Amino acid sequence: MRVISWNLNGRRRDLEAQVAALAARAPDVVALQEVTPGTVAELRRALARAGLPHAVDSFTLAPPSFEAIGPRRYGQLTASRCEVAPEAPGRFVLPWPERVLTVRVRTPSGEVEVHNTHVPPGSSNGWVKIDQLVGLFDGLARESAIPRILCGDFNAPQEELPTGEVVTWAKRRGSAGWRVARMVRGGPGAAWDAGERRIMTDLATWALPDVFRQLHGYAVQEASWLLRRGDTVRGRRFDHVFASPTLVPQRCVYLHELRERGLSDHSPVEVDFGWPTCAG
């Protein structure tokens, strides 16, 4: 079973090329972020033509009072070769509940729960980011008889060291190394640090480890998004897939060529599981 998670950057002009690039990878499930009200219907039609006819989007499930405007104009879409059943919002207690889309994918070997999310950046949304991460963790920190996948753009962490240390955005580099700042965006740095770690490391306790690190360890450095400031370029691995070990992840790579072609500012993350594909 091949799963691809990709932040599309809301680019309507590149929609056909994005879907063609996805179709060329022959995925069984795609989890897309930064879908907009103006692109979602066209995306669903294009994905159906590409062999992913079963789709659910977060705008369809949002309450009538929800307005997709400003920083909340982005949603998620999950499409599959297999039939999917959406879960009604409510499991996660979040400030922006529309940023999590949960479906059950009905594969030949049973259902797989897929959570597709886009966590807002703290640089522009402050503690909304941490409240989203904590709410995600609280909704997933439980035993599950159904295999699970959590994927998307988490805007974290800041860095990952070969030693295995995860450097959150609450940390500052000093002469003695990294330390947690006393305050971050008006709140305690320790709480910000803990909020990011809830997802990056603590979900492994609940059988949802980071697939890339599970397969590659921390010696391999990767980036799914690049920060450019003048002549300086810094890579950040913001896009992740966390998955139940029972799905038997076998391969996890970042498809940088699609970002380098200008189809998005994010590289998709592609995971192959040893779970039967939707085609059987």
Side-chain angles (χ1 to χ4, degrees):
M1 182 174 70
R2 174 166 289 178
V3 175
I4 298 178
S5 176
W6 194 11
N7 182 327
L8 297 182
N9 195 226
R11 299 186 181 186
R12 187 167 195 165
R13 68 182 184 276
D14 295 318
L15 188 149
E16 291 292 340
Q18 289 170 333
V19 174
L22 287 167
R25 305 298 306 176
D28 295 288
V29 179
V30 296
L32 307 177
Q33 303 90 45
E34 289 204 21
V35 174
T36 69
T39 62
V40 65
E42 190 176 350
L43 262 174
R44 292 179 71 135
R45 290 191 294 267
L47 289 166
R49 292 193 296 269
L52 298 158
H54 306 285
V56 178
D57 67 82
S58 56
F59 300 119
T60 302
L61 298 179
S65 59
F66 171 69
E67 292 186 88
I69 58 176
R72 298 181 68 172
R73 65 189 180 277
Y74 296 120
Q76 288 73 242
L77 185 152
T78 301
S80 172
R81 295 186 187 279
C82 292
E83 290 185 3
V84 298
E87 178 179 285
R91 178 196 305 214
F92 301 98
V93 180
L94 305 166
W96 294 4
E98 75 280 358
R99 285 293 184 93
V100 182
L101 173 62
T102 298
V103 303
R104 288 193 177 187
V105 180
R106 294 168 174 163
T107 79
S109 290
E111 292 185 331
V112 177
E113 198 172 79
V114 178
H115 305 275
N116 177 5
T117 190
H118 178 199
V119 176
S123 58
S124 53
N125 299 282
W127 281 82
V128 169
K129 172 184 177 177
I130 300 305
D131 292 339
Q132 289 283 127
L133 291 169
V134 171
L136 273 172
F137 178 80
D138 289 345
L140 294 170
R142 60 191 67 178
E143 294 182 358
S144 175
I146 299 172
R148 301 181 293 175
I149 295 171
L150 169 66
C151 60
D153 174 5
F154 293 83
N155 277 294
Q158 180 176 180
E159 287 192 30
E160 297 166 288
L161 307 183
T163 58
E165 180 183 356
V166 175
V167 179
T168 71
W169 286 103
K171 289 198 168 185
R172 307 289 182 264
R173 194 197 302 266
S175 57
W178 290 98
R179 63 174 181 80
V180 176
R182 187 178 68 85
M183 299 292 289
V184 176
R185 301 195 178 278
W192 190 291
D193 182 72
E196 287 194 19
R197 291 184 188 282
R198 289 283 192 276
I199 299 296
M200 294 302 112
T201 60
D202 297 355
L203 273 182
T205 303
W206 298 98
L208 278 173
D210 177 340
V211 171
F212 185 83
R213 290 303 173 206
Q214 183 183 8
L215 294 176
H216 298 283
Y218 281 86
V220 178
Q221 296 297 301
E222 261 291 12
S224 61
W225 182 82
L226 302 180
L227 172 66
R228 302 179 188 274
R229 288 182 176 168
D231 295 331
T232 302
V233 179
R234 296 293 300 272
R236 311 291 190 195
R237 195 173 74 94
F238 283 167
D239 300 83
H240 307 279
V241 175
F242 305 86
S244 301
T246 52
L247 292 171
V248 195
Q250 299 175 338
R251 174 178 162 275
C252 180
V253 297
Y254 288 88
L255 307 177
H256 299 304
E257 188 261 344
L258 303 190
R259 173 179 50 78
E260 291 163 356
R261 284 170 53 192
L263 296 182
S264 174
D265 59 346
H266 286 254
S267 298
V269 53
E270 178 181 272
V271 181
D272 290 340
F273 294 98
W275 190 265
T277 67
C278 294

